[in-house]
Amino acid sequence: MTLTFRTSFLTTLLLWAVVINSLAQTAATSVTASAPRTAAIMSRWEKQITPENAWREYPRPQMVRQQWQNLNGMWEYAITSRTAPMPTSFSGQILVPFAVESTLSKVTKSLMPDQRLWYRRNVTIPRDWNGQRVLLHFGAVDYECSLWVNGGLVGSHTGGSDAFTFDVTDYLKDGQNQLVLGVTDPTSTGEQPRGKQLLSPRGIWYTPVSGIWQTVWMEPVPKPRYIEEVRITPQVDSGRIKVEVLLDQSVTDPTMAIRITALDGNQTISTALVRSGRVAYLNVANRNGGPPKLWTPDSPFLYNIRTELVTVKDPFEGTPNNRRPRRNDAEQTAYASATVNGNPLDVVTGYFAMRKIVIGPGPVANQPVLLLNNKFVFQNGPLDQGWWPAGLLTPPSEEAMAFEIDFLKKSGFNMLRKHIKIEPERYYYLCDKLGIMVWQDMPSGFLEGQNENPGDQAEPIRRSKGKEQFELELRRMMNQLHNHPSIVTWVVHNEGWGQYENKRLADWVKGMDPSRVINGVSGWNDRNSGDFYDIHTYEEEPRPAAAKSDRVIVIGEFGGIGWPVQGHLWNPEMRNWGYQTYQSAEEVLKAYQKKYAKIVEYYQTNALSAAVYTQTTDVEGEVNGLLTYDREVVKIPVETLRQIHAPLFK
């Protein structure tokens, strides 16, 4: 007999009680860790990984230089006591960029909070890089690390999800150069942003990720100055883009300028020449001189952009006392016609899109909605956690990421909520290119037992150190991902996980990036913050969100229909669970139709702006996915999903 579980609202609350009790038990026990599992299942892309093909793509698609060197592949590794000196001998080899706990790393070992993980490899600098500075880039290292080059300490970094760079020029020598990286990771014994990592994973908490987990690479940059950052903000209503170009150091030299060129394909549509350190504005029109081509999920048009550091004759040289105008527009006009001297000192290429996201009036009086390019577009997406059975937080390849996004698009989703994880930058490039909107969560961080219970209206007091680190990493995330048009929403807090001073943080995030909408807190403890009123509802029939005259209403999580598909389970011996668990495709489809019938009703009658279904894939013991964890079984046919979602776009 097939046993089927259907959870009521009370059962859902009991599930959350189990989760909270699990956290409390963890807080009360000494630090222990479950040994990482060798993946019993793998995606087809994970099975193809070798040291020679592991993440070979250029890692920074919005700021491309032609010369670079990929350092992914086999490194030496060792695990020592945290207090031990740098080892002289190493234990074996690890495949970078996969975390030490992952199967794809070829190590699959735990890193405890009292231990240090060491990496070592030799590199040779290409001869044609001579005379330039050399930058060493890390896509992400979890969590704290220090770098030595040829025995010299170059620097340190703290933060598990953001990219960072060391200038290693002064430490290099001819021939081979030795790189050594030492890494520590408190995982769930600290309150640092870490998402869903837990030393003893269970339930909704997953295997830890420590060490290098995104691409490592080097590139040469020119002396004495180079372009460090290009920040692009579309302004759809005025038909232009705002471009802020920053060099590696502030420059007072009036002969240094920035030339920016916007292109439709290979055709130049606009150009600007401004003094370095000044904001540039470029008008964007189509090839026939009409309004710009707008980015939408149905038509994700991307413009190209080229940014050059050049030298010019100072346009004010020879004027009385070399007097400069006090108004920036007058200076910009003068530089626009300045003469460029010779070849550019530095050149980077990238892309941008014309996209606007705001809240505004909708079909129901006094209930604002989400507007994409000034039109109400319902945002239908899954909760997307981005975990992989053999790679953990590291996707196996660009092809694998593109498969998932394509699957979601074909299924009638136009958005995804990237859940308390930051992806490699090429993931967002694919979202930009293929056309899917992204709600980007800030990874949660908190001490065990510090998070709130559902319905608790108090915010726990957080240590100053924890708040400082959370806000630093939040700012880094926003800065590094700013140019991606697919990202339409920043999510500050998820439920009560480490939530503190939510209203202040939501206002702060909006002040830093007024070009996007802000979800102050998704679920649980609403603080009247941001642009969203967001509820989580895991009942068999999602409950409606209350009307809000000053914010859009969204269902930030619902669904959770579980189906443990035999032969595709990460661990068949553990409790493989869903908020409602079924044992056949027919039952799953009926439950899905029932839930989405309510979402369509709320969209049509309550002006619901968005809904987030839990979730894209199964993850470890969670079997709530539309796909199994190995991405081999589609639990509801793509065309059926598309038909179910179709009424949301009428």
Side-chain angles (χ1 to χ4, degrees), residues 26-34 111-114 185-190 199-200:
T26 303
T29 60
S30 60
V31 178
T32 58
S34 302
L111 180 68
M112 295 299 292
D114 60 354
D185 185 7
T187 309
S188 47
T189 64
L199 282 171
S200 297

Side-chain angles (χ1 to χ4, degrees), residues 64-79:
V64 178
R65 289 189 177 92
Q66 294 306 306
Q67 291 183 305
W68 71 294
Q69 184 175 349
N70 193 314
L71 297 184
N72 292 338
M74 302 308 298
W75 293 47
E76 294 178 283
Y77 89 93
I79 297 176

Side-chain angles (χ1 to χ4, degrees), residues 322-441:
N322 291 331
R323 183 172 298 165
R324 314 191 67 81
R326 294 185 178 181
R327 298 199 328 273
N328 185 56
D329 57 347
E331 181 185 69
Q332 185 160 328
T333 300
Y335 269 88
S337 58
T339 301
V340 175
N341 301 322
N343 294 325
L345 303 176
D346 192 14
V347 180
V348 295
T349 59
Y351 65 90
F352 69 93
M354 299 299 288
R355 185 270 300 133
K356 178 184 178 183
I357 183 75
V358 294
I359 67 172
V364 174
N366 299 318
Q367 180 53 64
V369 294
L370 287 169
L371 302 178
L372 177 65
N373 301 327
N374 298 319
K375 296 179 181 179
F376 178 28
V377 176
F378 187 86
Q379 297 189 17
N380 180 44
L383 193 73
D384 196 290
Q385 310 220 50
W387 287 74
W388 296 80
L392 303 179
L393 280 182
T394 309
S397 67
E398 185 155 320
E399 181 185 1
M401 298 190 304
F403 165 83
E404 279 198 357
I405 297 168
D406 182 64
F407 162 75
L408 295 175
K409 292 263 297 180
K410 289 177 177 175
S411 300
F413 294 105
N414 63 355
M415 172 269 286
L416 61 87
R417 180 182 167 203
K418 183 51 61 177
H419 191 40
I420 56 177
K421 178 202 176 181
I422 301 173
E423 293 282 3
E425 193 172 349
R426 291 200 71 90
Y427 179 89
Y428 303 99
Y429 161 70
L430 290 173
C431 293
D432 298 337
K433 180 181 176 182
L434 300 177
I436 193 162
M437 293 180 283
V438 176
W439 293 11
Q440 178 60 52
D441 287 16

